[in-house]
Amino acid sequence: MKTVKCENNEYYRMQNLPYEKFVMHGSKALTDSELLAIILRTGTKGVSAGQLAERVLSQVNKNGNGLLGLHQISLHDLMQIEGIGEVKAVKLKAIAEISTRIAQTKARKTLCYRTPYSIAEYYMERFRHENVEYILLIMFDSGMHAIGEKILSKGTVNASLLSPREVFVQALKEQASGIMILHNHPGGNPVPSENDLRITARIKEAGLLTDIPLLDHIIIGDNSYFSFKESGLMTQESGS
């Protein structure tokens, strides 16, 4: 490898540019803003890529979530940061999505639909960053193999709308032998609300009538979850 001679201050400058620092010392040696600077690649008039990265990090870290804030911030809000146009904003959102898919791919290796922890771990990165509630229906055959899933509802920040009819129309369409409900709590606390308890009881009752049992209802919080099955609520009498 050819060695290039340079002045000490120039060597120091090159060593500390994010890209060169990555090459010389590896990714773990870089700060969050330096990693973002590499993704952004260029700055804007009078502002370096590093300074622009600091602006982005400051904006996405308002809730103290660091780079996780890239999941919550919208494309539109990213583009409101001075120096961030559509191309750079799309790059940043793409990185957030890649991180989610990597986490899901890793979790899939240990995914077991008979184990609530395994299910929660698999869907965690998909739903924990959402700022509204999503309700996901997972459908199974008689061997507990997933045969389909469908988003039934995307609600407000406080509540989602769901009826047993919607659930079982889809389950019957897929000829499911069992179903599972999963939804997220944007506030981060997975403890079920009174509404969660009521709708679970109603779906459980409807499942007994249609011979398509509700196997579990899992609520995703911020790196935490609640399973009705694990908590013994699935074995209680409906409405109790």
Side-chain angles (χ1 to χ4, degrees):
M1 180 177 178
K2 184 177 178 182
T3 301
V4 179
K5 293 182 178 180
C6 55
E7 298 296 332
N8 287 339
N9 62 343
E10 179 65 10
Y11 175 77
Y12 180 81
R13 185 185 73 82
M14 293 298 289
Q15 188 180 29
N16 285 274
L17 286 173
Y19 185 90
E20 285 74 15
K21 187 175 177 181
F22 186 108
V23 172
M24 294 181 72
H25 304 294
S27 60
K28 287 182 172 49
L30 274 66
T31 64
D32 289 349
S33 62
E34 287 172 332
L35 288 169
L36 286 177
I38 290 176
I39 301 303
L40 294 172
R41 190 166 176 265
T42 59
T44 187
K45 187 175 181 181
V47 180
S48 68
Q51 291 170 321
L52 194 54
E54 289 285 357
R55 287 182 184 176
V56 172
L57 191 59
S58 175
Q59 185 69 22
V60 303
N61 192 36
K62 283 186 174 180
N63 294 323
N65 293 327
L67 290 176
L68 286 177
L70 284 173
H71 290 280
Q72 282 98 20
I73 193 169
S74 68
L75 191 69
H76 176 267
D77 287 342
L78 274 173
M79 291 171 62
Q80 301 310 300
I81 301 172
E82 187 178 357
I84 299 294
E86 184 178 72
V87 172
K88 284 182 168 59
V90 167
K91 281 184 179 180
L92 292 170
K93 292 299 290 182
I95 289 298
E97 179 60 25
I98 287 172
S99 71
T100 293
R101 297 190 187 189
I102 289 173
Q104 278 196 298
T105 300
K106 181 180 179 182
R108 179 175 283 278
K109 293 179 181 179
T110 57
L111 176 60
C112 173
Y113 283 109
R114 298 181 188 276
T115 309
Y117 171 81
S118 175
I119 300 166
E121 184 179 37
Y122 177 69
Y123 288 99
M124 184 69 67
E125 289 305 309
R126 180 173 170 184
F127 291 108
R128 66 183 283 222
H129 306 294
E130 298 293 347
N131 55 14
V132 296
E133 286 191 8
Y134 283 81
I135 294 182
L136 176 72
L137 172 67
I138 310 171
M139 293 159 284
F140 301 91
D141 63 17
S142 58
M144 272 298 288
H145 303 111
I147 57 175
E149 61 178 53
K150 183 177 178 61
I151 295 289
L152 294 177
S153 173
K154 176 182 177 181
T156 66
V157 71
N158 295 317
S160 293
L161 302 176
L162 179 68
S163 73
R165 182 179 182 278
E166 292 178 79
V167 172
F168 289 99
V169 163
Q170 191 64 36
L172 289 166
K173 181 180 177 181
E174 296 293 330
Q175 298 183 323
S177 295
I179 59 170
M180 198 175 289
I181 299 293
L182 183 146
H183 86 277
N184 62 304
H185 277 182
N189 185 351
V191 174
S193 65
E194 288 298 322
N195 186 59
D196 292 334
L197 295 170
R198 283 194 298 269
I199 193 63
T200 304
R202 291 176 61 198
I203 293 173
K204 179 184 172 184
E205 283 185 6
L208 293 174
L209 292 173
T210 57
D211 201 27
I212 305 175
L214 175 64
L215 305 171
D216 199 358
H217 180 178
I218 296 175
I219 303 174
I220 299 294
D222 186 7
N223 214 26
S224 58
Y225 75 96
F226 181 95
S227 162
F228 278 68
K229 177 183 174 181
E230 277 186 344
S231 300
L233 295 177
M234 296 306 300
T235 59
Q236 293 181 11
E237 292 298 321
S238 298
S240 62

